[in-house]
Amino acid sequence: METEIPILKGRSVVVGVSGGIAAYKAADLTSRLVKAGAQVDVVMTPAAAEFVRPLTFQALTHRPVALEMFALWQETEIGHVSLGKRADLMIIAPATANTLAKLAHGMADTLLATTALACRGPILLAPAMESGMWANPATADNMKVLERRGYFSVGPESGRLASGADGLGRMSEPETILDAARWVLGRRGPLAGEKVVVTAGGTREAIDPVRFVGNHSSGKMGFALAAAARDRGAEVTLVHGPSAQRAPYGLRAVAVESAEQMQAAVWEAAGDAAAIIMAAAVADYRPKSAAEHKIKKTRGELALELVRTPDILAAVAQRRRQSGAPRAVIGFAAETDNVLENAREKLARKGLDLIVANDVLAADSGFAVDTNRVTLIDGGGVVEALPLMSKTAVAEAVIDRLAALLRRV
Ligand code: PMT
């Protein structure tokens, strides 16, 4: 299920492509931006057009690609500076050493550099070049100048370069650049200045060094919530169990294994937080003790003695009753039967402002899938059933409710 991303929907984004092998990845980035709902204009340098044909970008955006500074038919419609003037965001990906040098010195001899110079919105650079060029003091100085002037940057990363060598200089993946773009656009959003703690994924309770008690949580729901809060400007700490999800750009990710470790991380982060959202599937029980060595197979049966883990959410809500912080406490309820009734009971027993009730038996909802069907129940008893949505869209809805809650307290 494809989802438009509210922070990008309807925004004018200029993608500036300069000439490097990573230009092919700019096509993927462009496609992701279009799917997210942005209106994307692509500006290419002549060198970039040697790597990827402009037609590729035109097909992806359904808009003309800007290449030449004084193309007459474009001059009336677009104008060689108007693209930059109306952009909400410009992303330069890849940003080559040459392009960085031009930007640092205010040169305007390509349409890309002219657009950047005329751009009134923020500019995000995704540098890509051979590692020696990246390490060169000239490039390092140019980057410092640009950062000082308020340019944002993502990457470069280490990996295999066009030269065949491994090193620092690889352009960040399109997914990461998109994430960074969301952070740049959202940084002054309605949650700016608010600290939000989000938990995600399942905990693992050790039986011995190689086995654990766990569950099917993938972390998808919690990671989407963290990204949505980040998109509204929140300073997010994401405390997560083992997960294959990529940590979103622009937030602090704390990896934990057990319920006890999650409690310690949440406790530390929640001290001065405005809100906590617990989407993690925390094990309710753990083996009483974890064997030091791998338990050997015998002919007989094996009984595990389980003891209760701490209820992290209830403890945070309890602390709020004493100290007033955090101002908003949101929980999830993973249910297989009597979904609303059980969720209401948890909302009341744990002292929450909002609970997100999840039927985790449906094949398209709950654990590990990309979609979810949830019902939101607030402290006043108001119930809002949401249809089947992507987890990204569910996250947006929950964070909208969080923003409303924080406005009230
Ligand atoms: O990670 P995904 O694959 O995307 O799946 C998402 C999800 C199904 C895990 C998520 O949508 C969800 O429902 N999370 C809550 C899972 C859960 O543990 O529910 P619960 O009903 O057992 O717990 C109620 C609440 O108390 C939850 O907010 C939970 O985080 C919290 N809790 C539970 C036990 C415990 N010891 N400490 C807690 O804080």
Side-chain angles (χ1 to χ4, degrees):
M1 193 177 278
E2 264 167 27
T3 305
E4 289 180 330
I5 300 171
I7 192 73
L8 285 161
K9 192 171 174 212
R11 305 300 281 275
S12 166
V13 179
V14 173
V15 175
V17 186
S18 47
I21 182 64
Y24 80 94
K25 287 199 213 167
D28 184 9
L29 172 66
T30 300
S31 163
R32 286 171 188 269
L33 286 162
V34 171
K35 282 182 193 152
Q39 181 190 294
V40 185
D41 285 293
V42 175
V43 185
M44 300 178 81
T45 63
E50 297 289 326
F51 286 92
V52 184
R53 283 177 65 84
L55 189 60
T56 305
F57 292 100
Q58 188 164 318
L60 289 168
T61 59
H62 300 163
R63 296 172 70 78
V65 171
L67 269 173
E68 291 168 42
M69 189 97 83
F70 299 110
L72 286 180
W73 67 274
Q74 287 179 339
E75 195 54 29
T76 46
E77 196 186 338
I78 299 174
H80 69 283
V81 290
S82 63
L83 266 185
K85 278 187 177 168
R86 70 171 141 85
D88 294 308
L89 170 70
M90 180 169 184
I91 306 173
I92 304 182
T96 58
N98 185 41
T99 292
L100 294 177
K102 284 182 200 296
L103 299 179
H105 292 90
M107 288 175 69
D109 60 348
T110 61
L111 185 58
L112 189 154
T114 310
T115 306
L117 211 53
C119 187
R120 291 185 185 150
I123 300 182
L124 173 64
L125 304 167
M129 65 200 72
E130 192 270 326
S131 51
M133 292 169 82
W134 176 249
N136 190 292
T139 307
D141 282 353
N142 289 337
M143 277 304 288
K144 272 190 215 133
V145 166
L146 293 170
E147 275 160 14
R148 208 173 50 236
R149 289 189 194 141
Y151 281 68
F152 297 94
S153 68
V154 51
E157 292 170 18
S158 284
R160 195 176 158 76
L161 304 172
S163 61
D166 271 352
L168 187 62
R170 220 179 130 80
M171 189 172 87
S172 293
E173 291 306 316
E175 210 180 351
T176 308
I177 300 173
L178 184 88
D179 223 20
R182 290 170 62 173
W183 176 82
V184 171
L185 282 171
R187 69 198 191 287
R188 298 202 184 108
L191 293 181
E194 303 280 25
K195 289 188 181 168
V196 174
V197 180
V198 179
T199 68
T203 62
R204 290 180 177 179
E205 312 302 325
I207 296 171
D208 67 16
V210 298
R211 305 180 180 97
F212 57 83
V213 175
N215 58 66
H216 295 294
S217 173
S218 63
K220 287 179 181 178
M221 190 64 251
F223 277 62
L225 285 160
R230 183 269 329 262
D231 284 4
R232 285 161 180 76
E235 197 182 307
V236 180
T237 300
L238 171 64
V239 180
H240 64 87
S243 168
Q245 297 298 300
R246 196 180 39 84
Y249 180 94
L251 52 74
R252 189 168 80 95
V254 183
V256 298
E257 286 249 337
S258 64
E260 224 162 88
Q261 288 171 1
M262 184 169 277
Q263 185 189 35
V266 165
W267 205 246
E268 198 207 310
D272 60 349
I276 177 157
I277 308 175
M278 292 261 335
V282 188
D284 287 320
Y285 292 91
R286 65 168 174 81
K288 188 168 183 185
S289 58
E292 204 179 321
H293 298 287
K294 186 181 168 195
I295 298 171
K296 295 278 180 291
K297 184 167 61 185
T298 61
R299 282 180 180 282
E301 292 184 349
L302 176 72
L304 277 180
E305 192 179 350
L306 300 176
V307 295
R308 286 296 307 268
T309 55
D311 190 322
I312 305 169
L313 189 56
V316 171
Q318 168 73 18
R319 176 153 96 178
R320 186 255 295 265
R321 280 193 287 279
Q322 286 152 3
S323 70
R327 279 146 52 215
V329 182
I330 299 179
F332 272 66
E335 303 297 340
T336 55
D337 56 302
N338 298 327
V339 177
L340 293 191
E341 204 179 302
N342 289 338
R344 273 196 196 98
E345 186 275 324
K346 281 179 186 166
L347 174 84
R349 176 165 48 85
K350 300 195 185 206
L352 313 177
D353 300 304
L354 185 76
I355 197 153
V356 184
N358 230 186
D359 181 348
V360 293
L361 269 193
D364 53 6
S365 170
F367 289 94
V369 290
D370 288 330
T371 48
N372 217 353
R373 189 182 282 105
V374 303
T375 302
L376 309 180
I377 310 173
D378 71 18
V382 177
V383 176
E384 186 188 354
L386 301 180
L388 184 72
M389 291 168 146
S390 68
K391 282 185 176 166
T392 307
V394 170
E396 297 292 341
V398 172
I399 299 298
D400 279 343
R401 294 291 290 264
L402 169 67
L405 271 170
L406 288 178
R407 272 198 301 274
R408 284 210 297 269
V409 284

